[in-house]
Amino acid sequence: MPASADKVCVTGPPQSGKTYRLVETYVESLREEPFKRRAFIVPNTSQRDYLRTVVVDQGGLAALPEDEIVTLAEFLYRLAGEAGLLTGRRMARVEESLFLLEMLGQIPSAAKLKLPPSLATARHFLKGIEAMRHAGLFLSLMERKQPAPISDEVSSLLLALARDYYAEMSTRFDGLAGQERAVHALENAAPEILDALPEVILVDGFYDLYPLYQRAIAALSKHCLLYTSRAH
């Protein structure tokens, strides 16, 4: 894999044919280089399922390698796995909620808030932790960078939970941190992640990325042929 790679950005206003052009490029690659590794990355599962149909119809294909059309989260998790960066397993959603409830019971500041010990409470905090992850918190902790202290009591508790959550993930459940591990390895040009990269990556529909995903796309663009769509 080269240290740097070409980047092609397809720009234009909404409904101007950006996705159509990317599908054309993808289909052309399928036909001309069927054994080349590819990934067509989309924002969410709805767009993923829709695009799989579009590729078959637009390309006149009898079959489609569906594992090539994925969300960015799916792509990063899979990339981390193929590069051998994950050793633990990934918790189920209910396990995450129960684990957070257990953690809340061990933090003194949580007792002062008198939070109800329910799965709804855990899910509320889990959403907050996910927002912090998308903002790059776990990636910063992976780089041994500590966030600034927060004066607000609830936000401070959420940050403490997120830190403990990350520490637990780093030991038993590191499958949950697959996205961050992939981005960290890409930014540091780790040989194992570069060997796992597809030769061609197409990215569609990311107009307002989370900071974590902004770093992912920027890192990917350094190491492979990257086609992206972007609104004016």
Side-chain angles (χ1 to χ4, degrees), residues 5-85:
D6 294 332
K7 296 174 281 293
V8 179
C9 185
V10 182
T11 64
Q15 305 299 316
S16 61
K18 299 184 297 298
T19 298
Y20 184 89
R21 182 68 187 95
L22 289 181
V23 170
E24 278 187 333
T25 302
Y26 178 73
V27 171
E28 183 179 308
S29 177
L30 275 175
R31 287 173 172 163
E32 296 183 359
E33 300 171 296
F35 298 107
K36 179 170 280 190
R37 292 180 298 168
R38 284 168 297 271
F40 200 151
I41 301 172
V42 296
N44 51 58
T45 54
S46 297
Q47 178 71 0
R48 178 199 64 194
D49 297 341
Y50 167 73
L51 200 57
R52 287 173 178 172
T53 302
V54 169
V55 168
V56 170
D57 292 343
Q58 187 173 319
L61 304 174
L64 175 70
E66 292 190 352
D67 61 340
E68 291 185 355
I69 303 178
V70 293
T71 67
L72 184 53
E74 290 170 337
F75 173 76
L76 292 172
Y77 275 121
R78 187 174 69 191
L79 191 63
E82 291 176 355
L85 301 178

Side-chain angles (χ1 to χ4, degrees), residues 75-229:
F75 173 76
L76 292 172
Y77 275 121
R78 187 174 69 191
L79 191 63
E82 291 176 355
L85 301 178
L86 304 180
T87 56
R89 69 179 182 85
R90 188 175 177 184
M91 278 191 287
R93 202 65 170 177
V94 67
E95 286 182 288
E96 292 183 72
S97 298
L98 291 171
F99 177 59
L100 278 177
L101 272 181
E102 180 183 339
M103 289 171 57
L104 281 168
Q106 298 171 355
I107 298 177
S109 56
K112 291 195 301 181
L113 294 174
K114 297 181 180 180
L115 299 168
S118 65
L119 287 177
T121 299
R123 293 190 188 104
H124 175 77
F125 277 94
L126 191 57
K127 287 181 180 179
I129 290 174
E130 286 177 345
M132 288 184 169
R133 287 189 68 182
H134 287 148
L137 174 65
F138 288 178
L139 196 52
S140 294
L141 294 175
M142 200 172 289
E143 298 167 338
R144 303 187 184 280
K145 298 176 183 176
Q146 293 297 324
I150 303 173
S151 57
D152 174 74
E153 193 172 17
V154 175
S155 299
S156 181
L157 172 59
L158 183 57
L159 182 58
L161 268 175
R163 284 183 181 134
D164 289 349
Y165 188 63
Y166 172 77
E168 187 69 16
M169 286 166 53
S170 298
T171 55
R172 291 189 292 157
F173 300 107
D174 69 348
L176 280 168
Q179 297 180 76
E180 289 86 352
R181 289 178 182 270
V183 174
H184 185 262
L186 283 167
E187 290 183 335
N188 290 277
E192 60 270 23
I193 202 85
L194 299 187
D195 289 341
L197 276 175
E199 287 90 349
V200 176
I201 297 178
L202 301 97
V203 182
D204 184 43
F206 291 93
Y207 308 133
D208 187 20
L209 293 174
Y210 296 121
L212 174 64
Y213 292 162
Q214 289 175 357
R215 291 177 64 172
I217 297 299
L220 284 170
S221 69
K222 297 178 181 178
H223 304 297
C224 56
L225 181 58
L226 184 69
Y227 298 86
T228 64
S229 68

